[in-house]
Amino acid sequence: MGFRLLSWSYDPPYSGYWDPVTSTINWCEEDYYATPYAAEVVNTLTNLMFVFLAFKGIFNCRKNGHDTVFFVAFVGYLLVGTGSFLFHATLKYPMQLVDELSMIYTTCLMCYATFSYSKSRQYAFTLALGLISLAIFITLYYHYLQDPAFHQNAYALLTVTVVARSMYVMEFTLRPSLRNNEETFKLQHRKSMTADQKEVSRSDDRRNAQILRTMWLMIAVGLTTFLSGFAIWQLDNIFCSRLRSWRRWIGLPWGILLEGHGWWHLMTGVGAYYYLTWGIWLRHCLNGRQDEYSLVWPRILSLPEIVQSEQTNGIIQPEIAKKIR
């Protein structure tokens, strides 16, 4: 006799509180099978990951004095999660626009943060006008087309652009800057450096190298999580009919583990949080403030955050310093 997990069958769909569906797209999760008040209950509730991480980022920015642009980005991140929650709960077209367009606007904001750094005010102003114009164009053209593929391609292009630019800045601006600062210090003090100063200099070299290695690790973890979520979502789209039959055969609650779009929410939420946290740390290091801030990331599977270092006369306390070494 075969073993079967304790489960219960899917109920016939309820009459939805938010009917009729007006969105231009519907997902593989069946509608109103769990409650009449949420069209896609798993796709709705998994957006709470965005909400949680957004508030975590907002509080971290306020507490540790990170640049305002990142505070605003986390507010946009919160809007994405809230809009997606409402969209999947109702499957209404206005909520679909809140969900999808907030993704565009938040990514445009990160484009501004990335491309305007260390540029002139005139350049930053022109860039802002360009990105606002682009966001308006995407909004109007998407509303005209009502084609989700256009939104998905626009979002993908913006995301690739901002991540690639951040990587470029890290390798071709931050890495040479860290190296040049140390070399300049050594040349200026090569004859007068004490043994303690030489040890501090070597320690700074090791710290700078460790910062860059850890940044690349953050990128790898964040991108892997994000792209894995995207791959699962695509499988959910391609094999939807088969997955629906499997869910019904397995029954609840185990069937929810096969809701691919829900996994997309969880994994892209974490991936986006990694990117924003990396962006905060990258900005502090570019500003030469790596002694003032520390990355707290005790394990790869934990959520990183950037905190102000506890200092006494400019020296980082050992218990904080070890977090970046």
Side-chain angles (χ1 to χ4, degrees):
M1 183 172 63
F3 173 77
R4 187 177 178 86
L5 293 171
L6 180 64
S7 63
W8 62 91
S9 62
Y10 281 71
D11 290 331
Y14 291 89
S15 176
Y17 179 83
W18 305 103
D19 277 340
V21 172
T22 60
S23 61
T24 63
I25 191 169
N26 203 341
W27 306 106
C28 189
E29 184 177 8
E30 297 181 45
D31 297 347
Y32 294 111
Y33 64 89
T35 171
Y37 300 106
E40 300 172 344
V41 66
V42 173
N43 289 349
T44 299
L45 295 178
T46 48
N47 282 291
L48 295 178
M49 175 67 80
F50 279 88
V51 176
F52 166 71
L53 294 177
F55 277 114
K56 180 178 176 64
I58 289 170
F59 292 147
N60 182 261
C61 287
R62 292 292 300 273
K63 180 180 179 180
N64 293 286
H66 303 317
D67 286 4
T68 303
V69 69
F70 294 104
F71 174 85
V72 177
F74 274 114
V75 171
Y77 182 87
L78 175 62
L79 184 59
V80 170
T82 304
S84 186
F85 183 99
L86 295 174
F87 167 42
H88 289 287
T90 65
L91 292 180
K92 292 294 187 182
Y93 180 65
M95 294 300 101
Q96 178 183 351
L97 292 181
V98 173
D99 172 21
E100 296 177 332
L101 293 178
S102 60
M103 295 166 65
I104 297 294
Y105 302 155
T106 302
T107 310
C108 283
L109 177 65
M110 292 312 301
C111 278
Y112 175 79
T114 303
F115 283 91
S116 66
Y117 176 77
S118 76
K119 303 295 184 181
S120 66
R121 296 184 66 178
Q122 181 179 358
Y123 178 94
F125 180 75
T126 303
L127 176 64
L129 285 181
L131 289 171
I132 290 171
S133 300
L134 176 62
I136 292 173
F137 167 76
I138 291 174
T139 300
L140 297 177
Y141 194 59
Y142 180 46
H143 182 58
Y144 169 74
L145 283 181
Q146 296 193 3
D147 181 3
F150 171 75
H151 163 265
Q152 292 164 12
N153 291 330
Y155 174 69
L157 181 60
L158 285 169
T159 300
V160 169
T161 299
V162 71
V163 172
R165 172 63 180 176
S166 298
M167 290 180 180
Y168 177 88
V169 169
M170 186 178 73
E171 277 302 308
F172 295 97
T173 301
L174 178 60
R175 187 183 291 274
S177 174
L178 294 176
R179 185 185 302 119
N180 291 339
N181 287 344
E182 284 302 313
E183 289 178 353
T184 300
F185 177 82
K186 291 174 183 177
L187 286 173
Q188 290 176 344
H189 301 85
R190 62 182 183 275
K191 294 183 179 179
S192 59
M193 287 179 67
T194 64
D196 288 342
Q197 288 174 326
K198 290 179 180 178
E199 179 57 34
V200 169
S201 179
R202 285 192 291 269
S203 177
D204 286 344
D205 287 340
R206 291 192 296 269
R207 178 207 57 193
N208 292 341
Q210 182 63 31
I211 284 174
L212 291 165
R213 283 195 298 270
T214 307
M215 281 187 176
W216 275 114
L217 181 59
M218 287 182 70
I219 294 169
V221 173
L223 276 181
T224 299
T225 305
F226 189 98
L227 294 176
S228 296
F230 178 78
I232 292 172
W233 174 33
Q234 293 309 300
L235 292 173
D236 193 59
N237 292 333
I238 295 169
F239 300 105
C240 180
S241 59
R242 183 176 300 178
L243 287 168
R244 283 186 173 184
S245 66
W246 286 353
R247 291 173 200 148
R248 287 194 167 271
W249 181 78
I250 295 171
L252 290 170
W254 313 108
I256 66 176
L257 298 176
L258 298 178
E259 297 291 354
H261 197 76
W263 285 108
W264 155 256
H265 286 161
L266 295 174
M267 299 176 80
T268 55
V270 172
Y273 175 84
Y274 265 81
Y275 170 74
L276 288 171
T277 304
W278 166 50
I280 291 171
W281 199 26
L282 178 61
R283 177 64 64 90
H284 285 313
C285 291
L286 287 169
N287 290 334
R289 304 181 69 186
Q290 59 267 31
D291 286 334
E292 301 174 35
Y293 288 88
S294 302
L295 169 69
V296 180
W297 191 25
R299 295 175 301 278
I300 287 181
L301 296 181
S302 63
L303 294 170
E305 60 180 350
I306 310 301
V307 302
Q308 285 184 316
S309 300
E310 295 180 6
Q311 298 189 10
T312 304
N313 296 325
I315 300 174
I316 304 176
Q317 296 291 348
E319 64 270 21
I320 301 297
K322 67 182 180 183
K323 296 174 183 175
I324 63 170
R325 290 186 167 85

